[in-house]
């Protein structure tokens, strides 16, 4: 007996033709399949509608990791550069000696410009008119102080007649000739009562190299300056001095007051040099900043305990002085004299010099009456 075929749309029809409960399609050859059936309906088990647009795929953010790597590399380069430059400084045992003064407030640098010809070729000596003298002597000495009482740069005239420990009385620069930086430090401390915390010295070659590295220094000259012995010939007016011209400018004594004029020019020039060296135009310009760093670190002699950050602090303090945020002066002069051992010399005004050095010892403001304009 023939079996009756179930009617389309009935429960029996669906159960027979779609035993798995799929009511949208005919898997058994129904000649009348549902035209609205979804052929991809089986993908629903994946948890998403295959026709639903959820935007572009998100990529993993890698920029934080890349930035972190760049910062680490930058820190490594900076740290490595610092330690490399610090290792280039010439160090000498200067301050570690018995019998020195007790510590005084503030920070005090003894900055010495020596006439050492080390590093100059024969052609350089002829070009710069430095002569052929051997060894090293002091051409300039300055006391830099900074602290609560402000910043000051004070010239110590080389011809100052002072007691030198173990050598009697003589010119201040004779202490350097007799016993080098150690004896000079002891002499300055004894004469001023101010404890020296740091020491820096630069010779002719280093001075020329530093000036050229920053692209020269602008100086205003009031009248013509000509001194064949210093290789100097400058016209009046503001001009940029290169290393050779700058060396002649700070060395010459061919003026009315000789050494007194020279120490004034030395303060003027060193302040202008440090101001330019610490300027953004130099520090942020690799063409100037790198040669400056290499020249400065290879030509400065410092105490064995001094480091690059000490030298940077010194430069920053001198920059402030040259910018008007401090005092520049010389030890007040009282008179002159001569002796068989020392030749012609100058003496300090005891009262005014005492007021000046007392202010430094106590880290207080220097009285106006002792400042030489």
């Amino acid at each position: 007996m023939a079996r009756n075929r179930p009617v389309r749309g009935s429960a029996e029809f669906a159960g027979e033709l779609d035993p798995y409960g799929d009511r949208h399609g005919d898997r058994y050859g129904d000649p009348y399949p549902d035209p609205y059936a979804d052929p991809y309906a089986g993908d629903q088990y994946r948890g998403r509608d295959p026709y639903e647009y959820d935007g572009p795929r998100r990529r993993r953010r890698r920029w934080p990791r890349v930035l972190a790597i760049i910062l680490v590399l930058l820190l490594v380069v900076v740290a490595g550069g610092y330690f490399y430059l610090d290792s280039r400084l010439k160090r000498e045992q200067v301050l570690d000696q018995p019998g020195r003064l007790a510590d005084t407030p503030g920070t005090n640098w003894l900055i010495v410009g020596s006439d050492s010809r080390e590093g100059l070729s024969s052609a350089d000596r002829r070009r710069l008119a430095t002569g052929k003298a051997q060894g090293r002597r002091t051409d300039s000495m300055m006391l830099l102080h900074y602290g609560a009482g402000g910043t000051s740069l004070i010239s110590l005239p080389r011809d100052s007649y002072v007691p030198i420990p173990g050598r009697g009385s003589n010119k201040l620069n004779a202490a350097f000739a007799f016993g080098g930086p150690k004896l000079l430090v002891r002499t300055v401390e004894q004469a001023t009562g101010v404890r020296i915390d740091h020491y820096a010295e630069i010779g002719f070659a280093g001075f020329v190299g530093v000036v050229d590295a920053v692209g020269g220094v602008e100086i205003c000259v009031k009248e013509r300056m000509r001194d064949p012995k210093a290789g100097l010939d400058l016209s009046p007016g503001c001009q940029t001095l290169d290393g050779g011209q700058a060396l002649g400018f700070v060395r010459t004594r061919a003026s009315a007051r000789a050494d007194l004029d020279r120490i004034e020019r030395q303060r003027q020039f060193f302040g202008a040099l440090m101001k330019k060296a610490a300027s953004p135009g130099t520090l942020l310009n690799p063409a100037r900043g790198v040669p400056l760093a290499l020249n400065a670190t290879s030509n400065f002699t410092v105490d064995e305990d001094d480091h690059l950050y000490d030298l940077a602090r010194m430069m920053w303090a001198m920059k402030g002085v040259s910018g008007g945020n401090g005092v520049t002066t010389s030890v007040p002069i009282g008179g002159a004299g001569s002796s068989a051992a020392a030749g012609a010399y100058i003496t300090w005004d005891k009262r005014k010099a005492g007021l000046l050095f007392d202010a430094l010892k106590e880290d207080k403001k220097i009285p106006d009456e002792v400042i030489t304009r």
Side-chain angles (χ1 to χ4, degrees), residues 285-353:
N285 183 355
R288 289 184 178 177
V290 173
L292 171 63
L294 294 175
N295 271 281
T297 53
S298 63
N299 289 295
F300 266 104
T301 298
V302 296
D303 181 63
E304 61 180 357
D305 291 329
D306 285 328
H307 292 279
L308 187 61
Y309 59 83
D310 294 311
L311 210 57
R313 182 68 183 88
M314 179 203 77
M315 293 175 61
W316 193 260
M318 291 191 70
K319 173 180 180 290
V321 170
S322 65
N325 296 324
V327 173
T328 61
T329 187
S330 176
V331 180
I333 304 303
S338 64
S339 70
Y345 58 75
I346 59 176
T347 58
W348 295 348
D349 183 313
K350 291 184 178 181
R351 187 187 70 84
K352 291 185 176 181

Side-chain angles (χ1 to χ4, degrees), residues 99-104 188-196 361:
R100 295 186 60 213
L101 294 178
D103 194 19
T104 53
V188 170
E189 288 188 342
Q190 179 175 292
T192 65
V194 177
R195 180 182 172 90
I196 303 300
K361 284 187 293 185

Side-chain angles (χ1 to χ4, degrees), residues 76-91 290 293-298 307-308:
V76 170
V77 170
V78 171
Y82 172 84
F83 286 111
Y84 170 70
L85 293 174
D86 188 71
S87 68
R88 289 169 57 88
L89 287 171
K90 296 180 179 179
R91 290 183 168 85
V290 173
L294 294 175
N295 271 281
T297 53
S298 63
H307 292 279
L308 187 61

Side-chain angles (χ1 to χ4, degrees), residues 32-330:
Y32 305 103
D34 185 351
Y36 300 103
D38 184 356
Y40 301 103
D43 288 344
Q44 295 296 334
Y45 78 91
R46 295 180 180 175
R48 62 182 295 272
D49 187 342
Y51 294 101
E52 181 182 355
Y53 177 73
D54 61 355
R57 290 186 179 181
R58 295 181 179 179
R59 296 182 179 180
R60 294 181 62 186
R61 294 182 177 179
R62 296 182 178 179
W63 65 265
R65 180 180 298 177
V66 173
L67 181 60
I69 293 174
I70 292 175
L71 290 176
V72 169
L73 291 176
L74 182 61
L75 289 174
V76 170
V77 170
V78 171
Y82 172 84
F83 286 111
Y84 170 70
L85 293 174
D86 188 71
S87 68
R88 289 169 57 88
L89 287 171
K90 296 180 179 179
R91 290 183 168 85
E92 188 172 334
Q93 188 183 38
V94 178
L95 303 179
D96 185 13
Q97 51 180 310
R100 295 186 60 213
L101 294 178
D103 194 19
T104 53
T107 301
N108 300 297
W109 280 83
L110 180 59
I111 304 171
V112 174
S114 78
D115 65 358
S116 170
R117 277 76 170 171
E118 182 181 354
L120 295 177
S121 65
S122 298
D124 291 333
R125 293 181 182 184
R126 288 192 298 271
R127 175 174 61 87
L128 301 174
T130 62
K132 300 179 180 180
Q134 301 297 315
R136 60 180 186 177
R137 287 155 294 277
T138 51
D139 243 23
S140 65
M141 289 163 284
M142 291 180 286
L143 186 61
L144 174 68
H145 172 90
Y146 50 86
T151 303
S152 55
L153 183 63
I154 301 157
S155 292
L156 305 174
R158 54 179 283 178
D159 291 338
S160 302
Y161 195 66
V162 295
I164 300 175
R167 294 282 186 163
S169 292
N170 209 315
K171 293 179 181 179
L172 181 59
N173 68 335
F176 193 90
F178 292 151
K182 277 191 171 184
L183 185 56
L184 178 62
V185 167
R186 290 179 61 194
T187 301
V188 170
E189 288 188 342
Q190 179 175 292
T192 65
V194 177
R195 180 182 172 90
I196 303 300
D197 302 303
H198 302 278
Y199 177 85
E201 175 191 333
I202 190 168
F204 284 171
F207 179 82
V208 171
V210 169
V211 174
D212 286 338
V214 300
V217 175
E218 184 177 10
I219 290 293
C220 294
V221 180
K222 295 181 180 179
E223 55 187 24
R224 185 182 181 187
M225 298 180 65
R226 187 173 184 278
D227 183 3
K229 292 182 179 180
L232 183 66
D233 190 357
L234 299 178
S235 300
C238 296
Q239 53 205 288
T240 298
L241 306 187
D242 62 22
Q245 293 171 317
L247 182 61
F249 182 78
V250 299
R251 287 181 59 211
T252 183
R253 303 176 75 176
S255 60
R257 299 193 307 159
D259 194 53
L260 297 181
D261 286 336
R262 179 169 73 163
I263 61 177
E264 184 177 338
R265 288 192 298 271
Q266 288 170 349
R267 292 197 310 273
Q268 175 192 5
F269 188 85
F270 272 99
L273 172 60
M274 295 305 170
K275 182 178 181 180
K276 187 168 185 181
S279 68
T282 298
L283 297 179
L284 300 180
N285 183 355
R288 289 184 178 177
V290 173
L292 171 63
L294 294 175
N295 271 281
T297 53
S298 63
N299 289 295
F300 266 104
T301 298
V302 296
D303 181 63
E304 61 180 357
D305 291 329
D306 285 328
H307 292 279
L308 187 61
Y309 59 83
D310 294 311
L311 210 57
R313 182 68 183 88
M314 179 203 77
M315 293 175 61
W316 193 260
M318 291 191 70
K319 173 180 180 290
V321 170
S322 65
N325 296 324
V327 173
T328 61
T329 187
S330 176

